[in-house]
Amino acid sequence: DVKVTQSSRYLVKRTGEKVFLECVQDMDHENMFWYRQDPGLGLRLIYFSYDVKMKEKGDIPEGYSVSREKKERFSLILESASTNQTSMYLCASSSRTSTDTQYFGPGTRLTVL
Amino acid sequence: EDQVTQSPEALRLQEGESSSLNCSYTVSGLRGLFWYRQDPGKGPEFLFTLYSAGEEKEKERLKATLTKKESFLHITAPKPEDSATYLCAVRGGDYKLSFGAGTTVTVRA
């Protein structure tokens, strides 16, 4: 079974803090993704990576950056957290095959005060 | 831009009362339509992938079908444990998925 893990289930930070969210997958997947999920808006793609050290902007990259130094690990960074970044953050991974199914982690509920 | 619309937003069913969820989509060059189940406070769990019109997939009480414009998720004789939010997503010409807002299903015993 594919396993995607995220470093924290719940996180509370203050406005202006630098926040790191970590994601690790154990299936040797090439592709990794970061989404945020808000009520009524569904999942929105922040950034994705299709290889080590590669990154692509998604639909809402403003205020975020990412890092992928190793194939299994993809980090999301909030340089200066703001209250409008309070959300559920979901990491996913997929292989570069015809099935292309994305598998998700359990999510991190981030609250910025 | 790829678009996915799910209806209804919420569905309340009595145990055993079959129903269907709709996912309408517009995408340039469909490379896959995905159904996920999401329980409160958890990440989405993969259910099905459909690739071409006419394709059907089944898993327990769930059956997904695909046409050129929409997909249906049929729930046959649901049980309370089928209560969840069901998400639909499409993949076009790149690696990205576009998600609908989901349908929240509540099954009462």
Side-chain angles (χ1 to χ4, degrees):
Chain A
D1 277 356
V2 176
K3 190 157 187 185
V4 180
T5 58
Q6 295 183 229
S7 50
S8 306
R9 292 301 308 275
Y10 301 94
L11 209 52
V12 179
K13 296 292 182 181
R14 297 218 171 265
T15 302
E17 281 192 80
K18 191 168 186 176
V19 182
F20 293 87
L21 302 181
E22 299 280 326
C23 175
V24 178
Q25 50 93 5
D26 67 355
M27 282 302 293
D28 202 36
H29 283 171
E30 293 84 4
N31 307 323
M32 296 188 75
F33 307 81
W34 274 108
Y35 294 88
R36 63 177 283 175
Q37 185 176 30
D38 302 288
L41 295 178
L43 276 77
R44 292 180 291 167
L45 182 64
I46 304 171
Y47 267 97
F48 66 102
S49 168
Y50 51 87
D51 206 345
V52 176
K53 297 193 185 295
M54 305 299 287
K55 61 184 178 183
E56 293 282 343
K57 292 181 180 179
D59 300 317
I60 51 164
E62 297 79 17
Y64 303 94
S65 62
V66 291
S67 171
R68 191 159 180 211
E69 296 297 318
K70 293 185 178 182
K71 190 175 185 179
E72 68 270 19
R73 189 179 297 269
F74 193 33
S75 302
L76 180 69
I77 303 153
L78 287 66
E79 296 289 344
S80 177
S82 63
T83 55
N84 62 13
Q85 291 179 311
T86 291
S87 187
M88 168 73 101
Y89 289 88
L90 291 161
C91 174
S93 72
S94 71
S95 69
R96 207 178 300 153
T97 67
S98 59
T99 60
D100 220 13
T101 299
Q102 290 188 20
Y103 296 92
F104 284 83
T108 295
R109 172 73 65 183
L110 173 68
T111 302
V112 183
L113 301 175
Chain B
E1 185 178 325
D2 302 341
Q3 287 199 315
V4 180
T5 304
Q6 292 187 246
S7 62
E9 288 185 18
L11 191 59
R12 293 176 66 85
L13 300 172
Q14 200 66 35
E15 184 172 4
E17 178 189 1
S18 301
S19 189
S20 296
L21 284 57
N22 178 264
C23 171
S24 299
Y25 64 90
T26 55
V27 62
S28 53
L30 180 70
R31 303 281 291 271
L33 184 140
F34 302 81
W35 281 100
Y36 289 86
R37 170 196 169 119
Q38 186 175 26
D39 293 307
K42 297 187 177 181
E45 175 188 344
F46 169 71
L47 291 173
F48 305 109
T49 310
L50 302 167
Y51 291 101
S52 56
E55 191 175 358
E56 299 182 351
K57 294 250 176 102
E58 284 189 67
K59 180 179 181 178
E60 296 181 358
R61 294 175 293 281
L62 301 176
K63 179 180 177 179
T65 62
L66 181 65
T67 72
K68 288 186 177 180
K69 293 184 178 180
E70 55 192 351
S71 177
F72 292 93
L73 184 66
H74 308 278
I75 310 178
T76 302
K79 298 182 177 182
E81 52 262 44
D82 295 321
S83 297
T85 296
Y86 293 86
L87 302 172
C88 173
V90 296
R91 177 174 177 256
D94 55 25
Y95 294 114
K96 297 189 291 183
L97 292 182
S98 297
F99 281 84
T103 295
T104 300
V105 175
T106 304
V107 183
R108 297 166 291 176

